[in-house]
Amino acid sequence: MINFLAITFKLINFALVNAILISAPFLPLVRENLFKLLSTLLDNGLIGVYILIMVLNFFIPSLRFWYTVLLNKGKFVESFKSIMETTPFEKTLDKLIYRYLPITIVVFYLIRIYVLQ
């Protein structure tokens, strides 16, 4: 059941990110909204940067898909199968983002509150 949910989440993520990547060069509203999202996240300090890193982490499988499509000369099925497998880099990045970065943010705020005041 968990494996099914993980694959479903990957497929939905892949579809949404590809829709953004494909439509961004052609639709000015998509570019404008992406710029506003990024600037709003960066204006919100450390938590905004953390969320920005999480959002950019969603783009890795889609970018890897298009890279492998270019390498395989348009073989979409093989490229799609390759993105469904998680690479060691993605596992390490997920561990850093979802485990260690929140702990680092909490420690940073505790240091800021108790040590610097």
Side-chain angles (χ1 to χ4, degrees):
M1 181 68 177
I2 293 176
N3 193 20
F4 173 74
L5 291 175
I7 291 173
T8 304
F9 179 71
K10 277 187 174 184
L11 289 174
I12 291 171
N13 175 27
F14 179 74
L16 289 174
V17 169
N18 277 322
I20 291 170
L21 287 175
I22 292 170
S23 63
F26 304 113
L27 300 174
L29 288 177
V30 173
R31 286 191 306 263
E32 182 180 337
N33 287 334
L34 280 175
F35 178 75
K36 285 182 182 178
L37 173 70
L38 295 177
S39 63
T40 302
L41 288 174
L42 290 175
D43 287 342
N44 286 325
L46 196 57
I47 302 297
V49 171
Y50 174 68
I51 294 173
L52 179 67
I53 291 170
M54 287 177 52
V55 168
L56 291 177
N57 189 28
F58 292 141
F59 281 87
I60 290 174
S62 296
L63 294 174
R64 194 177 68 193
F65 169 74
W66 290 109
Y67 176 72
T68 55
V69 165
L70 290 174
L71 283 181
N72 293 332
K73 298 179 178 76
K75 296 180 182 174
F76 287 99
V77 176
E78 292 175 12
S79 302
F80 189 73
K81 286 180 184 177
S82 73
I83 66 150
M84 294 308 289
E85 300 170 357
T86 306
T87 62
F89 172 73
E90 288 176 326
K91 287 180 183 177
T92 306
L93 191 63
D94 286 343
K95 184 190 280 185
L96 288 173
I97 289 174
Y98 296 115
R99 287 187 190 163
Y100 299 125
L101 199 55
I103 294 170
T104 307
I105 290 173
V106 169
V107 168
F108 175 76
Y109 277 121
L110 289 175
I111 289 172
R112 187 173 157 208
I113 291 170
Y114 293 112
V115 174
L116 297 178
Q117 288 184 359

